Amino acid sequence: MSDEALPPGAIRLPGRVIPLPDTISEEARAFLANPMFGGEQEMPALDDLDGWRRHCAESNARMTAMMKMQRAGIAFDSEVIRLSNADLYDIRPIAIAAEDAAVLYIHGGAFIVGGGEAAGLAAAQIADMAGLRTFSVDYRMPPDHPFPAGLEDCVEAYRFLLESYAPERIVIYGGSAGANLAVTTILKARDEGLPLPAACVLHSPVTDLRQIGDTMTTNAEIDVILKRPGEWLPGLYSGGHDLTDPYLSPIFADFTKGFPPTVLTSGTRDLLLSDTVRLHRALRSAGVRADLHVWEAMCHGMAHTAPEAQELLGEHLAFMREALGLT
């Protein structure tokens, strides 16, 4: 294609090699260089529901096994509470900093994995580090339960917490797809007349299911976790609803109607960096307190074995403690 055929303002880049920078920890460099990130799974066709069921089950089994290893050194008690259509994992750390405060944790996993036992395990680290009782909702997911099923489960989980905790003693926490649901849970709860929680903690949120942000292009193939936008994702999760529905793509929400103080985190190699910074700007423009932290060379989900990941969690915890008056 000649330069004249490029869209206005488009830039053609020469072929080049993107090295790992010397500005990050050795642990982060080792994580990003791990050869396991070299291959990619072939995804089923959008209408192949049996294929998606198999894919989700296999992916979830691997995720659960990995989380069991990662959480092996964390001591906690747990109980499963049954909601109308979903389980709510009640994760109680050994040492509790405040009996009257709690976290509603919403797991990530591209809206299709991370459920079952993995949902409880995912919340254990936050519960342990924060010293707070943490409730992780095992919300319904595609292919059998597209939007709005999962969102309805998360709102019900928030209603459940409100029966035992004052709203100003609750923090809602989510990463990736879970961060999307954290935002939309607050929006839907607000629109249904429920009080706002004390704070919202978001890591690399999905905020626009149209997948058109700048870093969807500039960080494609550079992010070792999310190599490119998932063409299947909007259709599989949305259930045919308009992708600009604020409960699907919260970038379109009216935050002037109320939203709690929020911290957002991402990395310069994160495919969803644009989704993160766009939501930060939308919150700030609406007068909502929103803190943004971006880590050098970090991919989607962070390099969880690196000190940068602990630093990131430290920012989350500090924000939570401040919001709950635990500092």
Side-chain angles (χ1 to χ4, degrees):
M1 182 188 297
S2 67
D3 286 345
E4 289 73 23
L6 292 175
I11 301 170
R12 185 192 303 280
L13 296 177
R16 56 183 178 171
V17 174
I18 310 294
L20 289 176
D22 294 327
T23 52
I24 58 177
S25 69
E26 286 300 318
E27 294 90 341
R29 287 169 60 86
F31 179 91
L32 294 170
N34 193 317
M36 74 176 184
F37 297 130
E40 288 187 78
Q41 284 184 292
E42 184 175 344
M43 308 302 270
L46 188 59
D47 59 355
D48 181 6
L49 296 187
D50 285 338
W52 279 107
R53 292 183 187 110
R54 287 192 299 271
H55 170 80
C56 294
E58 293 167 0
S59 298
N60 215 59
R62 289 192 296 271
M63 178 180 288
T64 303
M66 178 186 69
M67 286 189 173
K68 283 182 177 178
M69 291 189 293
Q70 293 175 347
R71 305 297 187 261
I74 299 176
F76 61 92
D77 295 321
S78 66
E79 177 185 352
V80 180
I81 300 162
R82 185 63 185 172
L83 303 176
S84 298
N85 297 291
D87 287 336
L88 184 65
Y89 285 81
D90 177 3
I91 307 299
R92 299 183 297 277
I94 300 304
I96 295 183
E99 294 283 357
D100 66 338
V103 178
L104 176 59
Y105 182 88
I106 306 178
H107 71 80
F111 299 105
I112 59 172
V113 296
E117 186 180 4
L121 291 167
Q125 184 179 31
I126 300 303
D128 179 65
M129 294 181 68
L132 294 173
R133 197 168 171 183
T134 301
F135 296 82
S136 181
V137 56
D138 182 12
Y139 54 88
R140 289 170 290 169
M141 296 182 287
D144 295 306
H145 302 288
F147 174 87
L151 176 58
E152 291 171 350
D153 294 340
C154 293
V155 174
E156 184 181 5
Y158 182 53
R159 285 183 180 274
F160 177 85
L161 263 67
L162 286 171
E163 295 175 4
S164 301
Y165 299 92
E168 63 270 17
R169 305 300 289 162
I170 299 172
V171 171
I172 298 184
Y173 191 121
S176 191
N180 172 290
L181 283 163
V183 179
T184 55
T185 293
I186 294 171
L187 293 171
K188 188 167 178 59
R190 179 200 70 185
D191 295 345
E192 292 182 357
L194 296 178
L196 297 176
C200 180
V201 177
L202 306 173
H203 179 56
S204 187
V206 178
T207 64
D208 187 351
L209 279 178
R210 298 175 303 164
Q211 303 184 107
I212 61 171
D214 187 43
T215 57
M216 290 287 180
T217 301
T218 58
N219 279 351
E221 309 300 332
I222 295 174
D223 188 334
V224 297
I225 303 297
L226 295 181
K227 292 186 178 295
R228 64 185 68 85
E231 295 180 0
W232 51 269
L233 178 62
L236 195 67
Y237 178 61
S238 70
H241 289 78
D242 184 352
L243 297 183
T244 63
D245 184 329
Y247 294 154
L248 274 170
S249 298
I251 195 67
F252 295 103
D254 182 356
F255 293 105
T256 64
K257 294 180 179 180
F259 203 81
T262 301
V263 62
L264 307 94
T265 54
S266 183
T268 61
R269 294 192 175 202
D270 183 3
L271 194 73
L272 295 181
L273 174 58
S274 282
D275 274 35
T276 306
V277 299
R278 289 171 65 208
L279 180 61
H280 173 252
R281 182 47 42 199
L283 291 167
R284 294 281 294 169
S285 296
V288 176
R289 177 188 169 182
D291 294 358
L292 174 65
H293 302 267
V294 180
W295 268 260
E296 167 79 343
M298 290 299 102
C299 60
H300 183 70
M302 292 294 285
H304 61 81
T305 57
E308 286 90 341
Q310 296 304 309
E311 190 179 327
L312 179 147
L313 286 172
E315 294 290 353
H316 289 173
L317 295 170
F319 195 88
M320 290 167 56
R321 292 191 187 105
E322 179 187 349
L324 295 171
L326 299 178
T327 52

